[in-house]
Amino acid sequence: MARQSVSPQITTNILEFVKTNQMRAGDHLPCQMLADTFRVSRAPVNAALKKLEQMGIVRGEPNRGYFLKVDAANVDTVKPEATPEGEDEDPLYFRIAEDRLAGKLQERVSENELIRLYDVARTRLLKTLHRIAEEGWVERLPGNGWAFRETLTSRRSYEEGYVFRAVIEQQAMLLPSFVADEVAFQKARAVQTALGEGGYETWSRAEIFKANNDFHEMIVACSQNEFFLDSIKRINRLRRLIEYRITIDRSRLPRQSAEHLHILDLLEAGRRTEAAAFLYTHIMGASRIKAPQV
């Protein structure tokens, strides 16, 4: 069991190693060298390399080891932890989320209360709470207490959040300070292409939310206005919890990704006003699809 918990992290470490060293397709990835680099045994490294082989990033050759199949520049288009929905979901996470949305959990709770309520070990609880804290809807208090932050909990507040996003993101794109970030655009294009060409079938809800969240925050960041960006980050943090509650219609994700790519096309062509109008329609269209489920 220990090896299974380590190998996903080693998979990510190998990809970071490849990118940091700007490796090229055909370069050798010696197992022992990687084990020494990450200070682990060969077993988790081998498990990680086999996972990367299944993903088409490396190829294994008998008696020779593993070799990179793609250049480092193309590594970001692949999701190392992409798994069919449900396989990587944490039941405790969603129980806490549902109870918080339903008002069953007070704003402030202690670890002992949660342990009794969910009948889990403290280490198990803390793992989930730290994940929630990283997402921004709970924070640790001195001692063993935790405080839930404000979040969107009703259909009305959810719809209002979408209207806010549509207006802010559109106006951010029209600011005189807006400058297209070519590097960020290239990365966003790779992620959205991967999502639309098959990732929508295998990525988890968290990965899909992050991919699309990052896209919109990247667009606003191009405005070079920290107030606009802080506002969007805050509303995205507030809606994260309720987004996970909504059933994903995966069949619409290729169209959503195509619309994101169209926005990039318009911006790269210098048609910023047209891109802003399309972005507003894109966001409000998503609201009409999702809001009825809240």
Side-chain angles (χ1 to χ4, degrees):
M1 295 300 293
R3 290 179 181 177
Q4 291 179 348
S5 64
V6 171
S7 60
Q9 181 60 50
I10 300 300
T11 303
T12 301
N13 290 346
I14 292 174
L15 293 179
E16 290 300 323
F17 179 86
V18 167
K19 289 187 288 185
T20 299
N21 291 279
Q22 299 181 333
M23 298 180 71
R24 305 295 298 271
D27 286 351
H28 189 208
L29 290 167
C31 181
Q32 188 60 58
M33 179 271 290
L34 293 172
D36 293 341
T37 299
F38 306 135
R39 297 185 179 182
V40 296
S41 67
R42 291 169 59 96
V45 173
N46 268 320
L49 288 168
K50 288 179 181 177
K51 173 66 174 177
L52 292 173
E53 184 177 25
Q54 294 171 0
M55 296 165 59
I57 297 177
V58 304
R59 70 174 189 277
E61 297 186 7
N63 303 318
R64 295 192 63 202
Y66 290 90
F67 297 81
L68 199 60
K69 287 184 65 177
V70 297
D71 292 340
N74 296 323
V75 163
D76 280 333
T77 66
V78 186
K79 290 293 208 180
E81 298 304 315
T83 54
E85 183 169 356
E87 290 186 11
D88 68 343
E89 305 293 12
D90 179 356
L92 178 59
Y93 172 97
F94 285 103
R95 285 184 65 190
I96 294 175
E98 286 292 340
D99 287 348
R100 176 57 182 162
L101 286 172
K104 296 179 181 179
L105 292 175
Q106 298 299 314
E107 181 180 345
R108 296 193 174 202
V109 293
S110 70
E111 290 176 13
N112 289 336
E113 288 179 85
L114 295 174
I115 289 171
R116 287 194 298 271
L117 180 61
Y118 297 111
D119 190 24
V120 295
R122 189 178 300 274
T123 54
R124 173 78 175 81
L125 174 68
L126 289 175
K127 178 181 178 182
T128 300
L129 287 175
H130 285 308
R131 171 188 170 184
I132 295 172
E134 288 177 0
E135 293 182 352
W137 53 278
V138 77
E139 61 182 342
R140 190 163 198 167
L141 300 173
N144 293 322
W146 294 80
F148 289 104
R149 293 178 175 177
E150 180 186 4
T151 186
L152 304 181
T153 57
S154 69
R155 177 173 175 176
R156 179 177 177 179
S157 64
Y158 186 74
E159 291 176 336
E160 290 174 347
Y162 262 93
V163 172
F164 178 83
R165 286 181 57 218
V167 171
I168 292 296
E169 292 189 33
Q170 180 189 48
Q171 292 305 309
M173 194 178 288
L174 295 174
L175 288 175
S177 58
F178 187 95
V179 177
D181 185 333
E182 294 182 6
V183 175
F185 276 23
Q186 183 179 14
K187 183 175 181 179
R189 186 178 292 279
V191 171
Q192 291 299 317
T193 298
L195 177 59
E197 293 184 349
Y200 70 95
E201 294 180 311
T202 59
W203 295 7
S204 69
R205 283 183 288 181
E207 289 170 327
I208 292 171
F209 180 85
K210 183 179 187 304
N212 293 326
N213 208 46
D214 288 352
F215 175 86
H216 286 276
E217 290 185 3
M218 179 275 295
I219 293 294
V220 176
C222 289
S223 72
Q224 303 183 73
N225 186 304
E226 289 300 319
F227 292 98
F228 276 70
L229 183 57
D230 286 346
S231 295
I232 288 301
K233 286 184 175 180
R234 181 173 186 274
I235 196 66
N236 282 339
R237 186 178 69 246
L238 293 177
R239 73 187 181 91
R240 178 190 299 271
L241 179 56
I242 206 166
E243 283 277 344
Y244 286 175
R245 193 185 204 184
I246 296 172
T247 301
I248 296 178
D249 177 8
R250 291 177 178 262
S251 65
R252 71 177 179 80
L253 293 178
R255 177 179 176 181
Q256 178 178 285
S257 295
E259 291 181 356
H260 286 164
L261 293 173
H262 182 58
I263 291 169
L264 294 178
D265 289 340
L266 292 173
L267 289 173
E268 290 173 343
R271 297 156 63 182
R272 190 147 46 107
T273 301
E274 189 177 343
F278 185 84
L279 176 68
Y280 183 92
T281 302
H282 165 77
I283 294 175
M284 294 308 298
S287 173
R288 286 190 291 272
I289 293 172
K290 295 181 178 181
Q293 299 184 50
V294 177

